[in-house]
Amino acid sequence: MTALTIPGLDQAPTTHQRLLAWVREVAELTTPDQVVWCDGSDDEWERMTAKLVEAGTFVRLERKPNSFWCASDPSDVARVEERTFICSQDPGDAGPTNNWMRPDEMKATMTELYRGSMRGRTMYVIPFCMGPLDAEKPMLGVELTDSEYVVVSMRVMTRMGAKALERFGDDADFVPCLHSLGAPLEPGQQDVPWPCNETKYISHFPEERMIWSFGSGYGGNALLGKKCYSLRIASVMGRDEGWLAEHMLILKLISPENKVYYVAAAFPSACGKTNLAMLEPTIPGWKVETLGDDIAWMRFGEDGRLYAVNPENGFFGVAPGTDWKTNPNAMRTIELGNSVFTNVALTDDGDIWWEGMGEAPEHLTSWKKRDWTPGSEELTSHPNSRYCVPIEQCPIVAPEWQDPKGVPISAILFGGRRATTVPLVTESRDWQHGVFMGATLSSETTAAAVGQVGVVRRDPMAMLPFIGYHAGDYFQHWIDTGKGADAAKLPRIFYVNWFRRGEDKRFLWPGFGENSRVLKWIVERLEGTAPAVETPIGHVPTAEAIDLSGLDTPVADIEAALGVDVEEWKAEIPLIEEWFAKIGDKLPSSLRDELEALKQRLG
Ligand code: GTP
Ligand code: SPV
Ligand code: MN
């Protein structure tokens, strides 16, 4: 009965019965004051951002057009892996790397949390599409949320609103994504700038292709098209339908001879995907264009090659460390405006600032909304502070970035953040060995997820927090992907590490634009023109094999970055064994064979 009295509920611009029924059901449960169907228009953006400014959530920036500064609640700053669940019917389908709860139990718990949770707020209906709208089978979703911040961010990060709803027709499939901040307002109650709830759940129902999120307004916890849909749910779709959903950037590399190579690279969160995707090569004649910085969906084309599409429409990039020296293309992208900056510092003249931008101004407002001066002990910006900006503004976006067919991938890079052991670059022996490299990838944890930072953990294919099913089945899916293909057409697999350190703890490799030198060696390997040394862990270049012209890094550092220390690698073996033991019976036997072969080669 109450539902009939919720304004807006019946003003649906669609005749899609399943969508209408679900929106009504959620409205009746969460009891918002009104329902608004988002159209994605400029007017809507104006209304939403004005509302956020009025609420004290946003500050309009004087120095960037149509852009906003935003500070979250200090308790709501990153993905919450501990509170992320894969609610498959069978716990064996979630596997040892995911938190699991029975779907009916999770639904019962969360239904009680959602009951009345949107009281005093507006429920927004956001129809969206991951990947190009003109795809043969567009990948649709609908997010219901009581957060204006989410509406604004989804407009940047996805193709949403009326243009997405057009593709729904009367009965298209879509992924229902329910999100509530869990912060209902009583009549007359003053709102806070960043409403959220101490209790958080990020729940996935893989069999139903459904997502329920509660209690957080930040990043991947709340923008449900991103990690929840495009990785956790999409990885399950990919398993069932024979494709791959991966935590990968997509870049286009153009050689001085104008030959084009598309590269996909998987690095864990805050380990360099955005930076590599927008790289400005330091070696003459080479060019990079960007197609995506975080997620790639890959499937075989009719020609037997693996094609990648970026499902996203925006960059949600780590702010600290981004500046004109490290990532000029990101700076150029945000200069154009239309951006939201969350948890960075605000300058007195209405611009943004963060660690890594050079000399700090005399005075800032920190992400904690406190006065900050160069003598302050605190950071100006949270280490996981982010800019959110449309991809199309990137000056080096590849013209084909929206092609629904995708781009054919020549090389896949796996990489992590390791102070020791892992060389700057290693080429795998073949696909299966490359899958082994990915499956045993390790990296130091970062601020992108709540928890300890700097702890080495296994992060298979940079997907540890994002595999929506059993990690053993996921490895098998990777193995099968290679088995079903023409080996000559498969991308070649490489393992990179920009983060190896010397004894004095400084980075041995200069990174950023200089990573183009490594890309050049990779391309020369594809062309069969660059030498490499066969080591127990794979094919590694010598310093002479890499173009170091014009680089002032001491050759001794480069040699150290490329070094394969057999003792260090022997020390990795028990860690890999422990990891494989955790995967259990579903570990593909081919990966066990790879481990045995590695042990043999290490002697
Ligand atoms: P997510 O968006 O969390 O998935 O992160 P990402 O993989 O896109 O990482 P990003 O490119 O934003 O880089 C994260 C941090 O690593 C930033 O502070 C960068 O400045 C730093 N970084 C990126 N590339 C390099 C590199 O080549 N060398 C060094 N030393 N640091 C790098
Ligand atoms: C990551 O953590 O890998 C991100 C940020 O890209 S989030 O959207 O929060 O997942
Ligand atoms: Mn990411």
Side-chain angles (χ1 to χ4, degrees):
M1 285 283 97
T2 49
L4 295 176
T5 67
I6 300 177
L9 185 57
D10 293 326
Q11 276 140 43
T14 177
T15 51
H16 192 296
Q17 291 306 310
R18 182 181 156 221
L19 173 55
L20 288 168
W22 176 62
V23 171
R24 171 169 294 273
E25 183 193 319
V26 173
E28 287 176 356
L29 174 65
T30 58
T31 62
D33 280 0
Q34 58 168 338
V35 173
V36 167
W37 294 75
C38 297
D39 61 13
S41 63
D42 290 346
D43 278 358
E44 183 175 271
W45 170 274
E46 291 300 329
R47 276 197 308 279
M48 289 298 150
T49 54
K51 198 167 174 186
L52 285 158
V53 169
E54 201 190 335
T57 313
F58 274 10
V59 170
R60 183 178 278 278
L61 293 173
E62 298 295 324
R63 297 296 167 124
K64 300 252 185 299
N66 192 27
S67 297
F68 301 88
W69 177 77
C70 177
S72 78
D73 187 285
S75 70
D76 193 21
V77 293
R79 286 182 293 100
V80 282
E81 295 181 1
E82 287 299 307
R83 306 298 305 161
T84 300
F85 294 84
I86 300 298
C87 303
S88 46
Q89 297 290 347
D90 179 348
D93 286 332
T97 60
N98 285 307
N99 300 309
W100 177 83
M101 204 191 283
R102 269 178 39 195
D104 54 352
E105 195 187 328
M106 181 61 87
K107 283 182 193 168
T109 303
M110 291 190 74
T111 297
E112 288 322 302
L113 291 170
Y114 284 133
R115 197 175 300 286
S117 74
M118 296 192 187
R119 210 161 54 239
R121 299 190 184 278
T122 300
M123 182 173 96
Y124 298 95
V125 183
I126 312 172
F128 65 91
C129 180
M130 299 314 294
L133 284 160
D134 58 350
E136 203 177 311
K137 185 179 165 282
M139 300 291 274
L140 303 172
V142 177
E143 180 159 352
L144 304 184
T145 181
D146 51 4
S147 161
E148 287 84 16
Y149 175 87
V150 167
V151 176
V152 166
S153 304
M154 285 291 282
R155 184 175 189 234
V156 176
M157 297 305 296
T158 72
R159 292 134 174 115
M160 59 81 93
K163 59 180 189 257
L165 195 57
E166 263 175 40
R167 301 281 347 233
F168 277 66
D170 285 332
D171 55 7
D173 241 350
F174 69 94
V175 173
C177 307
L178 171 52
H179 172 252
S180 177
L181 299 167
L185 288 169
E186 301 311 325
Q189 186 184 339
Q190 177 65 40
D191 203 359
V192 293
W194 188 273
C196 60
N197 194 305
E198 243 175 81
T199 301
K200 293 175 174 54
Y201 282 96
I202 319 297
S203 302
H204 306 71
F205 303 91
E207 286 95 358
E208 288 173 77
R209 317 280 201 240
M210 181 169 82
I211 301 156
W212 283 11
S213 165
F214 181 89
S216 168
Y218 195 74
N221 299 332
L223 313 179
L224 303 185
K226 201 169 172 50
K227 298 305 172 29
C228 298
Y229 182 146
S230 295
L231 289 179
R232 298 194 192 94
I233 295 294
S235 64
V236 175
M237 295 174 169
R239 174 199 63 190
D240 295 347
E241 299 167 8
W243 50 280
L244 295 166
E246 299 298 329
H247 192 200
M248 290 180 181
L249 67 91
I250 310 166
L251 70 79
K252 176 182 177 186
L253 186 62
I254 309 165
S255 76
E257 297 77 35
N258 270 323
K259 221 175 148 188
V260 168
Y261 306 85
Y262 296 100
V263 176
F267 310 153
S269 303
C271 290
K273 288 184 300 302
T274 301
N275 279 271
L276 190 69
M278 295 183 205
L279 169 132
E280 202 160 72
T282 50
I283 39 175
W286 291 78
K287 260 181 68 186
V288 162
E289 292 177 355
T290 306
L291 290 103
D293 80 325
D294 200 51
I295 301 176
W297 286 348
M298 300 191 289
R299 61 179 90 223
F300 287 106
E302 274 163 22
D303 61 358
R305 297 190 67 189
L306 197 59
Y307 283 73
V309 167
N310 173 15
E312 299 194 278
N313 190 62
F315 301 126
F316 187 60
V318 176
T322 308
D323 84 338
W324 290 98
K325 282 206 207 76
T326 57
N327 192 348
N329 287 314
M331 298 302 283
R332 290 178 192 119
T333 308
I334 62 178
E335 276 306 302
L336 294 174
N338 312 308
S339 308
V340 177
F341 298 89
T342 308
N343 291 340
V344 304
L346 177 66
T347 68
D348 293 351
D349 63 349
D351 206 346
I352 36 84
W353 201 88
W354 49 68
E355 276 67 30
M357 272 195 176
E359 206 186 321
E362 292 290 292
H363 178 263
L364 290 167
T365 304
S366 79
W367 75 280
K368 287 190 172 167
K369 297 188 175 170
R370 293 209 266 260
D371 284 322
W372 187 96
T373 53
S376 301
E377 303 255 304
E378 288 189 325
L379 291 173
T380 70
S381 308
H382 188 276
N384 190 40
S385 56
R386 303 231 169 204
Y387 53 83
C388 178
V389 63
I391 293 178
E392 62 185 359
Q393 284 182 204
C394 183
I396 59 156
V397 70
E400 63 275 39
W401 81 277
Q402 310 228 49
D403 187 341
K405 196 162 108 277
V407 293
I409 300 297
S410 295
I412 289 175
L413 278 50
F414 293 120
R417 193 182 273 272
R418 286 293 304 266
T420 67
T421 319
V422 180
L424 179 62
V425 58
T426 310
E427 184 187 358
S428 66
R429 302 159 70 88
D430 53 28
W431 180 266
Q432 180 174 296
H433 180 233
V435 174
F436 173 79
M437 283 176 163
T440 57
L441 189 72
S442 56
S443 197
E444 296 159 19
T445 51
T446 68
V450 171
Q452 238 185 315
V453 169
V455 184
V456 174
R457 68 173 184 185
R458 297 295 131 182
D459 192 341
M461 284 79 173
M463 282 284 282
L464 179 67
F466 309 121
I467 304 169
Y469 57 105
H470 194 296
D473 291 334
Y474 170 77
F475 296 156
Q476 189 62 55
H477 185 48
W478 264 88
I479 296 281
D480 294 344
T481 299
K483 278 206 186 118
D486 175 347
K489 292 181 180 171
L490 277 172
R492 299 257 284 273
I493 299 178
F494 298 79
Y495 190 169
V496 302
N497 176 23
W498 315 140
F499 299 94
R500 202 164 181 182
R501 293 179 193 260
E503 260 149 36
D504 51 2
K505 299 287 173 240
R506 75 184 193 295
F507 290 121
L508 290 166
W509 175 251
F512 302 103
E514 307 296 0
N515 293 333
S516 55
R517 299 172 190 277
V518 175
L519 292 180
K520 181 180 173 190
W521 179 78
I522 286 171
V523 161
E524 288 169 352
R525 290 297 292 171
L526 300 177
E527 297 292 352
T529 57
V533 179
E534 187 174 347
T535 79
I537 61 164
H539 301 277
V540 178
T542 58
E544 298 82 67
I546 297 181
D547 182 348
L548 299 177
S549 52
L551 187 67
D552 50 19
T553 306
V555 174
D557 281 7
I558 312 280
E559 280 167 352
L562 288 167
V564 178
D565 182 326
V566 170
E567 292 312 311
E568 278 183 337
W569 275 94
K570 281 184 177 168
E572 283 291 294
I573 298 295
L575 303 176
I576 296 173
E577 279 171 340
E578 193 186 322
W579 166 237
F580 277 2
K582 182 174 173 177
I583 303 301
D585 291 346
K586 284 191 169 181
L587 181 79
S589 58
S590 49
L591 294 187
R592 236 181 258 289
D593 297 343
E594 285 293 335
L595 176 58
E596 285 313 310
L598 174 62
K599 281 200 231 171
Q600 293 289 321
R601 293 194 301 265
L602 287 169

